[in-house]
Amino acid sequence: MNFWNVRSSAAPAVVTEEHTYTYLELSEAIQERKKNYHSDEKQFVLILCESRYDVMVAYLAALQAGHAVMLLNHDLNEDLLKEIIHNYKPCWMYGEGPFPGYDQQDGLLWKRESQIQAAVHPNLALLLSTSGTTGSRKFVRLSYQNIQSNAESIAEYLQIDSSERGVANLPLSYSYGLSIVNSHLQAGATVLLTNESIISKSFWAFFQEQRATSFAGVPFTYQMLQRIGFFKMELPYLRQFTQAGGRLDERLVKQFGDYAIKHKKRFYVMYGQTEASPRMAYIPAEKVIEKAGTIGIPIPGGELAIDRETNELLYKGPNVMMGYAECIEDLAKGDELNGVLYTGDTAEKDAGGFYTITGRTKRFVKLFGLRINLDEVEKRLEQEIHLPVACSGTDDKMIIVIETELEKVNNMVKHYIEDTYKLHKSAYRIHTVDSIPRMSNGKTDYMAIKDGFQ
Amino acid sequence: MCKGVVKLNEQKLKLIFSEALEIDPEIINDELAYNSIAEWDSIAHMALVAEIDDQFDIMLDTDDVLDMSSFSKAKEILTKYDITFE
């Protein structure tokens, strides 16, 4: 059975701070919401996500109705949202309106005033941004089979059964956060919904009160957990915790792995990309110390391989996306990848079959678990300030170098990055220089920038 | 401790808040609370904690990191570490 066709049992499906909803209640709420999604043809729904029950209902009802769904975070930059609505013209919008060109249909559901004829591919289920809130207009096209197969695979290797009570503490519009919800529904388990951050007291009160058995985190989550003294917390109900969304420092992998072993819990370090719905690899919990620093082995149903010429890591499996979308016409496209994904990461494989990432073929950094394309930042900044710009950096910090004598440009760029990418200043550095480092062939010397402007 | 230092601590904390949260010092008052402004999110909170640790040469406890939900609460917590305010 598909995870979106939820069962009708008395077991708890979703728990919020205020209420516990059974699978039967969830199923009925979905039926009710589905009535609003009536259309003779397949359409697509744009949902502005917060970690709320009604948002989950809106999402699952759209899948059940056979429509496609685009998930975006509710705090998305307003101009960007406008542009996305203009480019993709969703039939329905779900969120705090009003939205120009849309009539209120029912509560938070808004319907487009003028219907347009746009073909949506029969297999298309989900459109997710490649970089969360950070301003990309490019979306990953995932099929029903993509998300279903990944939910099954995740439930299997994380050993999620109906007794699990996992906290969905990451945004639903983020492929990792959504995969927690999907895999728990698949297993008939309970999803604990909260918008609180792991550094607030109310989060841990909710966590204990609801006897949460798992949580998830990107590398920054684990840095925070270490700082707030996670190792000293008494968490008797916790069974497992997972990490994805970028490389976690090996020292932290070992510390959290040690903690897990000592307290008889399971710690999973995982690897994925939104393009793979998102999970591709994981380290089995019992190997996390021995294999710290690797991305592990392929998930059930998937295969990894390394391109002999380029060393690029390839993934093959039923969860590989159909392709990308950049405009409404792309929604009609079918599967363009045939189950094979070029990850953009280079890797090597050890004798035990574990893979380690060695580098990247594409120019991007992952800040707070979100992917930022350095070439795109460069291009957009140059359009904005009309000065030569070069971006480099690591997953800890993006470095922006601008060729100018004007000190005040620094501030302009800072404001632009803040507005567009919603990044905290600790995530990037801006330098103004007389000339951007270049190699003898005239190309930007990104290595010199990375090493020279830490 | 003399009054001058006490006043300096308040200013110092304000400066730390304004730097870590990237906000105008003018808008910082006792009522300023976590999540009440977009700038004070979890990422900024951790930057704030790091900065307080650094500048006052202390190491805030788990409970204190989680408890520090407003500017006035921050002052209250810091007094436990022998940093005084008016």
Side-chain angles (χ1 to χ4, degrees):
Chain A
M1 199 162 80
N2 296 322
F3 70 82
W4 55 87
N5 291 317
V6 298
R7 56 205 81 197
S8 305
S9 75
V14 182
V15 177
T16 66
E17 312 249 349
E18 298 85 28
H19 197 76
T20 296
Y21 302 89
T22 65
Y23 270 95
L24 181 63
E25 284 173 300
L26 176 61
S27 161
E28 285 170 356
I30 293 169
Q31 293 313 314
E32 206 44 47
R33 178 49 80 203
K34 222 165 97 181
K35 288 178 192 162
N36 301 125
Y37 288 142
H38 181 73
S39 165
D40 293 335
E41 276 171 52
K42 178 164 178 158
Q43 299 287 356
F44 110 88
V45 190
L46 195 166
I47 299 177
L48 294 173
C49 295
E50 277 182 86
S51 295
R52 285 200 322 258
Y53 176 68
D54 63 291
V55 171
M56 262 183 74
V57 171
Y59 157 66
L60 294 166
L63 290 182
Q64 263 196 31
H67 297 310
V69 195
M70 178 187 278
L71 301 179
L72 288 169
N73 205 9
H74 69 104
D75 68 357
L76 186 76
N77 175 297
E78 241 173 77
D79 292 334
L80 183 59
L81 177 62
K82 260 188 217 153
E83 202 183 309
I84 289 169
I85 294 175
H86 177 79
N87 283 353
Y88 289 93
K89 303 183 172 49
C91 181
W92 288 281
M93 292 285 305
Y94 189 85
E96 298 281 347
F99 304 101
Y102 286 79
D103 293 324
Q104 190 165 24
Q105 190 183 339
D106 178 38
L108 295 177
L109 191 68
W110 303 73
K111 191 165 191 196
R112 195 174 181 84
E113 281 166 10
S114 57
Q115 292 309 308
I116 43 139
Q117 290 289 327
V120 181
H121 195 276
N123 296 348
L124 183 65
L126 195 57
L127 291 155
L128 291 178
S129 164
T130 52
S131 61
T133 57
T134 54
S136 176
R137 289 137 184 83
K138 198 164 153 185
F139 288 85
V140 166
R141 291 183 290 123
L142 299 174
S143 70
Y144 290 93
Q145 194 216 357
N146 286 158
I147 53 177
Q148 178 59 27
S149 67
N150 210 228
E152 286 175 20
S153 182
I154 292 169
E156 182 185 333
Y157 77 77
L158 290 181
Q159 303 166 45
I160 300 173
D161 60 28
S162 60
S163 71
E164 284 281 339
R165 296 169 67 82
V167 180
N169 58 307
L170 297 170
L172 297 177
S173 54
Y174 179 40
S175 55
Y176 182 13
L178 190 67
S179 74
I180 297 167
V181 168
N182 295 351
S183 54
H184 277 72
L185 293 177
Q186 177 62 30
T190 308
V191 177
L192 308 180
L193 275 186
T194 174
N195 279 307
E196 294 288 345
S197 153
I198 59 133
I199 54 157
S200 73
K201 230 178 180 175
S202 41
F203 175 87
W204 292 105
F206 178 68
F207 194 90
Q208 296 289 56
E209 198 177 297
Q210 292 302 333
R211 305 189 166 197
T213 58
S214 73
F215 66 84
V218 298
F220 184 64
T221 315
Y222 284 89
Q223 288 166 18
M224 290 195 285
L225 285 172
Q226 189 214 25
R227 175 60 190 86
I228 66 170
F230 172 78
F231 301 122
K232 285 184 281 175
M233 286 187 192
E234 283 291 326
L235 301 166
Y237 308 109
L238 178 67
R239 296 180 196 167
Q240 59 169 302
F241 43 103
T242 62
Q243 183 270 319
R247 188 178 180 280
L248 180 64
D249 187 78
E250 211 174 307
R251 188 179 49 87
L252 283 178
V253 173
K254 286 185 173 151
Q255 279 184 19
F256 281 92
D258 270 337
Y259 168 89
I261 287 163
K262 257 186 219 138
H263 294 81
K264 300 205 164 41
K265 304 187 192 302
R266 305 194 305 274
F267 175 39
Y268 292 97
V269 171
M270 321 193 291
Y271 169 79
Q273 282 176 7
T274 301
E275 285 84 342
S277 324
R279 212 46 61 217
M280 290 185 270
Y282 73 108
I283 307 179
E286 67 278 9
K287 299 257 189 195
V288 73
I289 302 275
E290 182 194 339
K291 295 295 183 183
T294 75
I295 58 161
I297 56 171
I299 60 166
E303 285 169 52
L304 287 172
I306 293 169
D307 185 298
R308 263 188 226 159
E309 276 172 25
T310 60
N311 289 330
E312 184 169 357
L313 182 69
L314 311 182
Y315 174 85
K316 202 173 150 190
N319 51 317
V320 171
M321 65 170 178
M322 302 166 77
Y324 291 109
E326 293 189 76
C327 60
I328 188 168
E329 288 76 22
D330 290 346
L331 304 188
K333 286 184 181 168
D335 183 3
E336 296 171 315
L337 273 74
N338 298 313
V340 180
L341 181 68
Y342 282 75
T343 63
D345 287 322
T346 55
E348 54 189 31
K349 183 183 176 182
D350 70 14
F354 283 69
Y355 289 80
T356 302
I357 303 295
T358 53
R360 232 166 241 164
T361 63
K362 292 173 193 150
R363 290 216 323 120
F364 66 83
V365 290
K366 270 196 164 178
L367 300 171
F368 306 117
L370 299 172
R371 194 187 315 172
I372 294 190
N373 184 324
L374 295 169
D375 292 324
E376 189 191 291
V377 178
E378 250 178 50
K379 213 163 73 190
R380 287 170 76 171
L381 266 177
E382 280 182 341
Q383 281 168 3
E384 185 72 17
I385 60 173
H386 307 289
L387 289 166
V389 177
C391 292
S392 185
T394 63
D395 285 354
D396 293 324
K397 200 161 268 172
M398 174 165 70
I399 298 159
I400 302 165
V401 178
I402 309 148
E403 204 169 282
T404 179
E405 287 165 2
L406 301 166
E407 285 273 329
K408 67 172 184 196
V409 172
N410 200 312
N411 248 331
M412 272 172 63
V413 171
K414 185 166 168 283
H415 284 300
Y416 182 77
I417 295 288
E418 253 168 37
D419 282 355
T420 318
Y421 296 96
K422 303 230 164 82
L423 282 177
H424 188 259
K425 65 171 182 186
S426 61
Y428 62 93
R429 277 279 146 75
I430 303 164
H431 298 274
T432 50
V433 294
D434 296 339
S435 61
I436 287 173
R438 287 178 200 285
M439 296 187 283
S440 52
N441 62 6
K443 283 188 182 170
T444 308
D445 190 348
Y446 289 111
M447 287 308 284
I449 292 171
K450 195 158 106 181
D451 296 337
F453 296 92
Q454 287 293 336
Chain B
M1 207 177 285
C2 72
K3 200 145 189 219
V5 174
V6 169
K7 197 145 194 154
L8 268 176
N9 279 339
E10 171 115 11
Q11 278 173 5
K12 188 168 161 185
L13 190 63
K14 257 196 186 162
L15 197 65
I16 292 171
F17 264 73
S18 112
E19 286 277 316
L21 308 185
E22 307 187 86
I23 53 173
D24 190 340
E26 299 281 301
I27 70 161
I28 301 170
N29 56 37
D30 283 352
E31 281 72 44
L32 183 72
Y34 175 67
N35 260 347
S36 69
I37 50 167
E39 288 87 350
W40 194 351
D41 59 7
S42 57
I43 290 163
H45 191 75
M46 293 317 287
L48 181 63
V49 168
E51 206 53 28
I52 289 175
D53 280 356
D54 242 29
Q55 300 267 344
F56 289 108
D57 199 17
I58 55 172
M59 179 82 182
L60 291 167
D61 280 345
T62 304
D63 280 350
D64 295 332
V65 174
L66 301 183
D67 254 347
M68 206 171 65
S69 51
S70 69
F71 184 71
S72 69
K73 194 80 193 171
K75 288 193 286 187
E76 188 189 314
I77 287 167
L78 284 175
T79 50
K80 291 201 294 186
Y81 297 81
D82 292 332
I83 294 149
T84 38
F85 296 89
E86 277 175 288

